[in-house]
Amino acid sequence: MEKLEKFTGIYKIEDHIATENLNIGCKVYGERLVEFEGKEFRIWESRRSKLGAAIMNGMKIFPFKTDSKILYLGASSGTTPSHISDIAYNGIIWCVEFSPKMMRSLVELSRERKNIIPLLEDATKPRNYLHLLEKVDSIYSDVAQSKQSELFMENMRLYLKPEGIGIIMIKSRSIDVTQSPKKIFSQEEKKLKTRGFKVLEKINLEPYEKDHLAIICKFAF
Ligand SMILES: C[S@@+](CC[C@H](N)C(=O)[O-])C[C@H]1O[C@@H](n2cnc3c(N)ncnc32)[C@H](O)[C@@H]1O
């Protein structure tokens, strides 16, 4: 077991990464639990989480701290949010998800993890949840749809602190299946750069996820 120095709250166990379980004895998505020196860790399955894949592929900028305030777009049933919840145990993660089915699992998860706040909302309409959250340190977006960069930027403009960090997981096939992923990635990166954001890092998610790119950015000013 080794603590990854660059990353708050992430450990290396054999060939896997892991987070310390905030909810002892409980699994979220069938992941393996490992005991070490009186603590319990949850193996972070990199094939089930794009953030896990990005870390495995050498991500350098990792914005989440123990007390971070985070807006998470496209939370689904909470696989990746649960690991962020382990890391930001003194913080808050507002999880936006528009599928009522996924929201049911997310609500269950939020009963066990007090730093997760589920919001049944549409991430393309960020003004609808203006009254429900405050400015955040980071925005994480994993919403597989054609206007994913646009909704990410709109949420950043409304909710990200000036010095905050945004992470978007771009799925090229959701934008245009007929174009090469490389072309889509460069088109989406250009959108961010021409609309006021500075790209800090890009990470291809192969072999964990096909045709996905993680982009980490901040405001350009
Ligand atoms: C790829 S899954 C997210 C997986 C999750 N981020 C994880 O790693 O555990 C994408 C999710 O985005 C949700 N979604 C798609 N469009 C959305 C929108 N406009 N607003 C909110 N959620 C949306 C889908 O319902 C789906 O659950």
Side-chain angles (χ1 to χ4, degrees), residues 72-74 96-98 120-127 129 141 143 145 147 150-152 154-155:
Y72 192 117
L73 308 172
V96 174
E97 172 56 54
F98 76 171
L120 180 61
E121 294 284 352
D122 181 347
T124 65
K125 300 186 173 75
R127 287 192 179 278
Y129 38 93
S141 187
V143 178
Q145 61 147 278
K147 296 284 177 198
E150 285 78 1
L151 74 86
F152 173 58
E154 214 178 320
N155 277 273

Side-chain angles (χ1 to χ4, degrees), residues 9-218:
I10 304 184
Y11 300 80
K12 191 130 201 268
I13 300 175
E14 299 149 14
D15 290 338
H16 305 282
I17 49 173
T19 52
E20 189 176 339
N21 197 357
L22 190 59
N23 188 21
I24 306 290
C26 294
K27 298 181 182 187
V28 176
Y29 56 99
E31 71 281 14
R32 190 152 61 93
L33 302 181
V34 176
E35 296 271 336
F36 187 78
E37 294 183 346
K39 291 180 175 168
E40 186 179 90
F41 297 85
R42 298 166 56 230
I43 298 291
W44 194 335
E45 299 287 350
S46 308
R47 291 196 182 271
R48 302 277 304 275
S49 164
K50 294 172 198 105
L51 183 58
I55 296 165
M56 291 298 277
N57 281 357
M59 181 179 194
K60 292 186 186 67
I61 298 165
F62 190 75
F64 308 129
K65 310 273 182 257
T66 56
D67 60 351
S68 292
K69 292 191 171 142
I70 300 152
L71 173 58
Y72 192 117
L73 308 172
S76 192
S77 56
T79 299
T80 302
S82 70
H83 286 289
I84 300 178
S85 153
D86 285 342
I87 295 163
Y89 54 84
N90 278 331
I92 306 177
I93 310 148
W94 286 278
C95 290
V96 174
E97 172 56 54
F98 76 171
S99 152
K101 184 166 175 254
M102 294 304 156
M103 184 49 61
R104 277 196 284 279
S105 309
L106 207 53
V107 167
E108 282 301 315
L109 191 66
S110 71
R111 291 208 176 98
E112 302 157 358
R113 292 172 172 269
K114 298 296 172 203
N115 57 357
I116 287 187
I117 303 194
L119 303 175
L120 180 61
E121 294 284 352
D122 181 347
T124 65
K125 300 186 173 75
R127 287 192 179 278
N128 287 0
Y129 38 93
L130 258 180
H131 59 298
L132 297 174
L133 63 143
E134 53 192 83
K135 291 263 179 186
V136 295
D137 304 298
S138 306
I139 296 190
Y140 180 95
S141 187
D142 182 16
V143 178
Q145 61 147 278
S146 60
K147 296 284 177 198
Q148 50 193 275
S149 302
E150 285 78 1
L151 74 86
F152 173 58
M153 289 188 280
E154 214 178 320
N155 277 273
M156 288 211 288
R157 282 191 208 99
L158 276 177
Y159 296 111
L160 192 63
K161 289 179 186 170
E163 69 285 3
I165 297 282
I167 301 177
I168 178 168
M169 298 297 174
I170 296 177
K171 181 177 181 179
S172 71
R173 274 172 292 148
S174 300
I175 295 172
D176 189 344
V177 269
T178 67
Q179 298 287 346
S180 78
K182 208 170 155 198
K183 196 167 170 199
I184 300 280
F185 295 152
S186 110
Q187 165 197 301
E188 301 304 299
E189 181 182 356
K190 199 166 160 199
K191 274 185 202 166
L192 290 166
K193 286 180 171 169
T194 54
R195 297 182 201 175
F197 299 94
K198 181 176 179 183
V199 170
L200 303 172
E201 194 182 356
K202 293 179 282 178
I203 308 141
N204 195 296
L205 302 187
E206 300 265 1
Y208 304 101
E209 290 277 358
K210 201 171 174 314
D211 303 336
H212 279 77
L213 183 77
I215 295 187
I216 301 168
C217 61
K218 63 176 195 167

